Amino acid sequence: MKLSFNWLKQYVNLPDSVSALEVAEKLKMATVEVEEIDRQDALLDNVVIGKVLKVEKHPEADKLKLCEVDIKNEKLQIVCGGSNVREGMLVALAKVGAKVKWHGQEDLLELKPTAIRGVESFGMICSASEIGLDTFFPAKEQKEIIDLTGRISEKQVGKPLADALELNDVIFDIDNKSLSHRPDLWGHYGMAREVAVLFGKSLKEYGAVKIKEPKKDFFGLKVEVKDKKLCPRYMAAVLRGVKVEESPNWLKAKLISAGFRPINNIVDITNYVLLDLGQPMHAFDMEQLAGNKEQLAKIIVRRAESGEMIKLLDENVIELVSEDLIIADAEKPLALAGVMGGEHSGITEKTTTIIFESANFNASSIRKSSTRHGLRTDSSARFEKSLDPNWCEIALNKAVELAHKFCATAELADKISDISDFTLAVGPIVMQKNIFEKKLGEKIPEKEITKILTGLGFKVSAQSDKWAVEIPTWRATKDVSGAEDLIEEVARIWGYEQIASAMPEFGITAPEKNKLSALEHDLRDIFAGSFSFDEVYNYSFVSPSQIERLGDKGEYTELDNPLSKEKPYLRRSLLPNMMENAVKNIEFFDTVRIFEIGKVFWPDMAGARVDSNGSELLPRQDTYLSALYCEKKDEAPFSAVRRSVERMGEVLNLDFKINALSHVAPWMHPTRAGEIICDGIFVGVIYEVNPFIAKKFGLDCRVSFLEINLETLVEIGEKAKKATYRKVPDFPSVVRDLAFVVDGDITHAQVEECLKSIDPLVESVELFDVYIGDAVSEGEKSMAYRLTLSRPDKTLSSSEVDAVLIKAGSALKKKFGAEVRR
């Protein structure tokens, strides 16, 4: 929205010392966003009013004329190509030094004395386009210059053109989004109220002479409002004896300053009121309405009929729907209410009787119609902000007053039509006086609070410890409704910069640490960072097909409204979805290393209560870490996952032990499965997936899998997670492999304990292979271990290493009857 500085000063007595920039800064800090400030006369420097004294033909050019122009203090010789230049004509003359638009070029051209076809010229007689006055003086032909004759007195010859045309204004460009909540600011008077309060000045009363109605109707216009919810107020005034002509310069100047194009005196009046007060109006040609003297003319405010057509003033034809509100006569639509008039409502040069419409429409209805038909107008932009219905009368009074002023023969033909049905919640809002200090943290004097609110139009009455504030009607339409709104009003005018900034005075307690979340974070670092596993995220749902392939006979929770009908059950394990992840990835990669952290659901075990006071229980929902490893040519994937468990224990400073699993599930390999024990507590399982189950999912390679209950692990970890450090060895360690055949009942834990105890040089023991098959006797298995040996004081010799291996073989043979393989 464009805002005129001179127009604002019409209602606020600002001293000359207050500049437009100061006003813009104040508005920006307290009220609206001022995007840009423009001088209206930027193109009119050194442009004055001149009188053409003599016109002669140019001696060297048929289309040019040699003119003598009087600018009061001197007479200038000008070469001019204007098609309408003549002697006695008042013109806009750009003197040497002026900057003008030259033949559509973007950059301005500075005028200098020059010779045109051999004749000296000291300036330029301007066309409207050359000095940015296209809207003020629309040209009929391309080479037409501005003709000021009859528009301006000859006494003003020599004066700056900007002063004569009242175009010496400063224009503020306001961001519409910054005032979408303030319907009262869509006119200059509302903005002037803000400026008056911000500068501590008084606001002039809005001068609108109340209409004197005739004693009887001449035309007998009838108005009918069929939907008062969509049209809370409709006013109409009939004027006859109207003469449609050009508006006076002062009115055209005001419209141009706000970005409007002057059209004629009647239309310009409605646009002026819109810009002045913020209340849209429309003028109908009475003769265009169905019926006149013989048959009573009628205006009907109604919903449109679906499929009804209307041709608008912009010549577009639109199809209406039943949700659209229209203004109609007895036969046809005249206007799309609050948005745009129709072709049958327009004012022409032949119009002599008009109807001024001043109405209030439902904001939502106007917004929807405007959006539906792609019509964004100055009228709709204001109506959709919820205007004050009381403005209708003020605006109509102003329009009739101006019509009488511009047309001496114009008179009111009928009594004013006024149909209204509205109420506004104006309060009062009652609140404690100390609420401002409590909310703002700043003690503002009561006198200042009263002054600010009164200046903004609120009626304030003070009691001993309370305020009672009545809301002005123009702020009671979805704007101000509670004490907090009043606090905001006072704060922004008082100045947010005057409110001291201070840190809140209360203790800040660190939130309780989420132990489970911290453990999940650590495990992601370990598996993704140290072990190069990729994390996957799967939905918590599984399909009947997955359950069948897994061979799981456990109870599953079925969802009443699943995201996908294909997967209606909540998972009991992360395995099924991760197996499908592996199938999709093994096609493209030789090795798949993936892990997932997520919840599993066991309806056969009790979980949290549905309601803290109820007895109904949810399924148990523990968080699990699962890891899957498979490689196309790896025949011992179990070892890779087991090493991950051991390494995880080292990082978390937890002692994991892997023992034989007493109960093997159908999807686990019958002999390659173990339970994970930590601090004597069962925390999970590690196993190879049963090859038959893997093939059902589409995997031909061997797959190892890890499942650890993080809910259990987090309790253990809090007690044990104290990192210890040791010095990096000065001397290298030695690694040797040892393979032997033992009875099938011997466990890894037994062997590990034996090997670690044979000699102090044994630093670590790692199982990397277990074989059961044709190469060993029935009931026996082959186990392969990797022993790491080291000494802190020197490098081990071959004889020392060999001695330890011999000792290990002897210990295994003596304790387990093992036969070392060479």
Side-chain angles (χ1 to χ4, degrees):
M1 185 178 85
K2 293 189 181 299
L3 199 67
S4 161
F5 184 42
N6 287 345
W7 203 332
L8 289 177
K9 291 193 290 185
Q10 178 181 318
Y11 295 115
V12 186
N13 286 320
L14 290 175
D16 294 338
S17 59
V18 175
S19 67
L21 183 61
E22 288 179 80
V23 173
E25 286 299 318
K26 286 270 192 180
L27 286 173
K28 189 184 297 184
M29 293 299 295
T31 309
V32 293
E33 184 65 34
V34 181
E35 292 190 318
E36 197 174 348
I37 304 174
D38 293 319
R39 274 183 53 224
Q40 196 179 26
D41 61 354
L43 287 177
L44 299 181
D45 286 342
N46 276 332
V47 180
V48 299
I49 298 169
K51 181 178 181 180
V52 180
L53 301 178
K54 187 188 299 183
V55 178
E56 296 177 350
K57 287 185 177 182
H58 192 289
E60 301 295 333
D62 294 336
K63 294 183 179 180
L64 298 178
K65 296 181 177 65
L66 192 58
C67 303
E68 184 182 353
V69 183
D70 180 17
I71 56 170
K72 193 174 183 178
N73 295 327
E74 59 180 321
K75 295 179 177 62
L76 300 175
Q77 178 175 284
I78 307 292
V79 176
C80 176
S83 60
N84 59 329
V85 65
R86 65 184 186 278
E87 291 183 0
M89 184 178 182
L90 297 183
V91 296
L93 187 132
K95 298 164 63 178
V96 171
K99 293 181 178 180
V100 298
K101 295 180 180 179
W102 185 254
H103 298 299
Q105 293 182 13
E106 290 187 11
D107 295 332
L108 298 179
L109 175 70
E110 183 177 343
L111 296 182
K112 298 178 180 179
T114 185
I116 302 176
R117 295 288 184 93
V119 178
E120 291 287 331
S121 182
F122 300 92
M124 185 171 79
I125 299 175
C126 302
S127 68
S129 62
E130 289 166 337
I131 51 176
L133 296 181
D134 311 60
T135 53
F136 210 101
F137 301 102
K140 296 178 181 178
E141 57 181 74
Q142 186 178 1
K143 293 187 177 182
E144 183 180 291
I145 59 172
I146 296 174
D147 186 357
L148 298 172
T149 312
R151 299 169 184 261
I152 293 175
S153 168
E154 288 195 18
K155 293 180 180 179
Q156 299 197 63
V157 169
K159 288 187 176 180
L161 181 64
D163 293 342
L165 296 178
E166 298 182 20
L167 295 177
N168 49 0
D169 204 350
V170 177
I171 308 301
F172 305 132
D173 193 355
I174 307 296
D175 180 8
N176 288 352
K177 295 188 292 295
S178 67
L179 46 80
S180 59
H181 63 300
R182 292 288 302 274
D184 61 308
L185 297 184
W186 286 79
H188 281 76
Y189 191 70
M191 283 288 190
R193 182 184 295 108
E194 293 284 316
V195 172
V197 175
L198 289 170
F199 284 89
K201 303 297 180 182
S202 59
L203 177 72
K204 293 181 182 178
E205 194 171 330
Y206 191 78
V209 179
K210 189 169 179 61
I211 299 171
K212 293 181 180 179
E213 299 185 51
K215 294 181 179 180
K216 63 177 183 178
D217 292 344
F218 182 81
F219 293 108
L221 174 70
K222 300 297 179 184
V223 176
E224 180 182 359
V225 178
K226 291 192 174 183
D227 194 329
K228 293 182 179 178
K229 182 179 179 182
L230 298 186
C231 180
R233 190 171 192 183
Y234 192 94
M235 297 186 71
V238 182
L239 277 80
R240 61 176 179 170
V242 171
K243 185 179 180 182
V244 178
E245 54 189 359
E246 193 174 335
S247 295
N249 282 339
W250 71 265
L251 179 56
K252 291 197 292 185
K254 284 190 178 298
L255 295 180
I256 289 171
S257 69
F260 277 57
R261 179 174 63 87
I263 298 173
N264 58 55
N265 53 355
I266 301 302
V267 175
D268 291 351
I269 286 172
T270 62
N271 286 336
Y272 173 80
V273 173
L274 175 139
L275 295 168
D276 194 35
L277 185 62
Q279 170 66 40
M281 293 187 66
H282 190 65
F284 295 98
D285 186 340
M286 181 77 166
E287 295 178 4
Q288 296 290 328
L289 270 66
N292 202 346
K293 291 184 180 179
E294 294 79 12
Q295 178 187 349
L296 293 178
K298 193 171 187 178
I299 285 181
I300 306 169
V301 184
R302 61 174 174 84
R303 289 178 182 268
E305 296 177 8
S306 291
E308 202 169 3
M309 309 295 289
I310 181 173
K311 186 176 183 181
L312 300 172
L313 287 172
D314 64 0
E315 298 187 352
N316 285 321
V317 178
I318 62 172
E319 182 177 346
L320 301 169
V321 298
S322 58
E323 287 78 20
D324 292 324
L325 187 70
I326 62 169
I327 313 299
D329 61 15
E331 297 177 356
K332 60 188 178 298
L334 298 173
L336 182 58
V339 181
M340 187 180 290
E343 68 169 342
H344 295 298
S345 69
I347 302 298
T348 68
E349 293 180 357
K350 297 179 180 180
T351 301
T352 57
T353 304
I354 63 169
I355 301 171
F356 274 136
E357 170 196 271
S358 185
N360 184 273
F361 301 113
N362 178 272
S364 297
S365 172
I366 300 303
R367 175 67 173 174
K368 289 175 182 177
S369 287
S370 172
T371 304
R372 186 182 300 117
H373 299 293
L375 297 169
R376 184 74 174 168
T377 63
D378 290 284
S379 177
S380 67
R382 286 162 174 78
F383 276 124
E384 66 189 30
K385 305 300 183 296
S386 297
L387 300 181
D388 179 8
N390 293 287
W391 284 358
C392 296
E393 184 176 356
I394 301 171
L396 191 62
N397 288 340
K398 174 60 77 173
V400 172
E401 176 191 340
L402 292 174
H404 285 146
K405 185 176 181 179
F406 298 162
C407 304
T409 56
E411 61 176 343
L412 205 62
D414 286 356
K415 293 180 180 178
I416 301 298
S417 298
D418 186 2
I419 300 174
S420 64
D421 183 12
F422 67 90
T423 56
L424 296 172
V426 296
I429 298 171
V430 180
M431 56 189 176
Q432 296 292 326
K433 284 188 175 180
N434 64 352
I435 192 172
F436 291 93
E437 185 176 358
K438 288 173 67 176
K439 295 289 186 180
L440 298 175
E442 183 81 14
K443 188 173 180 61
I444 301 175
E446 290 185 13
K447 185 178 179 181
E448 282 298 322
I449 294 173
T450 303
K451 181 181 177 182
I452 290 171
L453 291 176
T454 303
L456 291 172
F458 295 88
K459 294 180 181 178
V460 182
S461 58
Q463 302 170 6
S464 58
D465 61 342
K466 293 182 179 179
W467 301 99
V469 182
E470 187 176 327
I471 307 168
T473 58
W474 59 84
R475 300 295 300 276
T477 58
K478 301 180 182 179
D479 180 8
V480 176
S481 59
E484 288 73 17
D485 296 319
L486 297 176
I487 294 167
E488 181 187 1
E489 292 300 300
V490 171
R492 67 183 182 83
I493 299 298
W494 173 255
Y496 292 115
E497 70 279 1
Q498 294 198 64
I499 300 174
S501 299
M503 295 295 290
E505 296 181 1
F506 56 84
I508 300 177
T509 306
E512 184 179 350
K513 184 179 179 181
N514 188 321
K515 299 173 184 176
L516 179 60
S517 178
L519 177 60
E520 291 177 13
H521 186 274
D522 289 344
L523 291 173
R524 285 189 173 95
D525 280 348
I526 293 168
F527 275 83
S530 301
F531 303 162
S532 299
F533 275 64
D534 294 309
E535 186 174 8
V536 296
Y537 291 89
N538 290 301
Y539 285 114
S540 301
F541 316 120
V542 290
S543 67
S545 171
Q546 287 176 309
I547 298 171
E548 182 182 351
R549 281 178 283 167
L550 202 62
D552 188 4
K553 303 299 182 183
E555 182 182 351
Y556 280 81
T557 301
E558 185 173 2
L559 300 172
D560 290 335
N561 187 25
L563 288 178
S564 170
K565 292 181 180 180
E566 295 178 358
K567 293 188 175 185
Y569 298 104
L570 290 174
R571 64 191 176 191
R572 289 176 62 92
S573 166
L574 304 181
L575 176 63
N577 288 328
M578 292 183 71
M579 289 290 283
E580 292 191 348
N581 295 146
V583 171
K584 292 175 181 176
N585 283 276
I586 202 69
E587 295 181 17
F588 306 102
F589 306 98
D590 291 335
T591 305
V592 174
R593 296 184 186 89
I594 57 175
F595 77 97
E596 181 175 9
I597 297 174
K599 287 189 178 294
V600 296
F601 305 84
W602 298 319
D604 48 350
M605 300 179 71
R609 294 184 183 276
V610 175
D611 192 320
S612 58
N613 298 320
S615 59
E616 189 178 357
L617 299 176
L618 292 168
R620 182 168 173 176
Q621 305 172 35
D622 285 359
T623 302
Y624 265 73
L625 161 72
S626 289
L628 181 148
Y629 171 83
C630 62
E631 187 173 349
K632 290 179 180 178
K633 295 181 180 180
D634 191 347
E635 294 299 318
F638 183 90
S639 299
V641 176
R642 181 179 52 75
R643 284 194 295 272
S644 299
V645 174
E646 293 170 352
R647 177 61 183 144
M648 180 173 63
E650 292 174 10
V651 175
L652 298 177
N653 201 31
L654 295 172
D655 185 18
F656 288 117
K657 293 186 181 298
I658 301 174
N659 298 332
L661 188 62
S662 57
H663 173 71
V664 179
W667 55 87
M668 299 178 184
H669 192 287
T671 62
R672 297 174 187 147
E675 62 179 8
I676 303 173
I677 305 296
C678 183
D679 201 24
I681 300 172
F682 173 83
V683 295
V685 292
I686 178 173
Y687 55 89
E688 275 193 31
V689 178
N690 190 315
F692 298 105
I693 300 298
K695 285 184 178 180
K696 287 183 179 181
F697 277 90
L699 283 170
D700 292 328
C701 56
R702 292 171 67 174
V703 181
S704 58
F705 200 73
L706 165 69
E707 295 180 275
I708 294 181
N709 189 325
L710 300 186
E711 310 274 355
T712 305
L713 189 62
V714 73
E715 297 177 9
I716 301 170
E718 280 300 311
K719 294 185 290 183
K721 194 176 181 182
K722 293 181 180 178
T724 58
Y725 300 91
R726 63 181 180 180
K727 181 183 175 183
V728 176
D730 293 326
F731 302 96
S733 57
V734 177
V735 177
R736 291 289 187 270
D737 291 344
L738 181 65
F740 50 88
V741 177
V742 294
D743 188 81
D745 294 332
I746 303 301
T747 65
H748 161 66
Q750 292 173 304
V751 175
E752 183 182 35
E753 184 180 359
C754 174
L755 290 175
K756 283 185 175 180
S757 63
I758 60 171
D759 195 285
L761 297 180
V762 178
E763 183 181 327
S764 66
V765 175
E766 179 186 356
L767 173 68
F768 66 88
D769 186 47
V770 177
Y771 174 77
I772 299 174
D774 296 338
V776 296
S777 302
E778 187 175 351
E780 292 183 332
K781 62 183 176 182
S782 172
M783 302 181 75
Y785 281 83
R786 183 159 292 142
L787 277 63
T788 303
L789 312 177
S790 67
R791 280 189 65 157
D793 56 343
K794 69 171 189 173
T795 303
L796 287 169
S797 64
S798 298
S799 59
E800 287 176 305
V801 173
D802 292 340
V804 173
L805 291 177
I806 292 169
K807 191 185 294 186
S810 300
L812 291 170
K813 184 174 180 63
K814 181 178 179 181
K815 194 167 186 178
F816 305 117
E819 182 183 342
V820 177
R821 301 174 63 187
R822 303 295 179 184

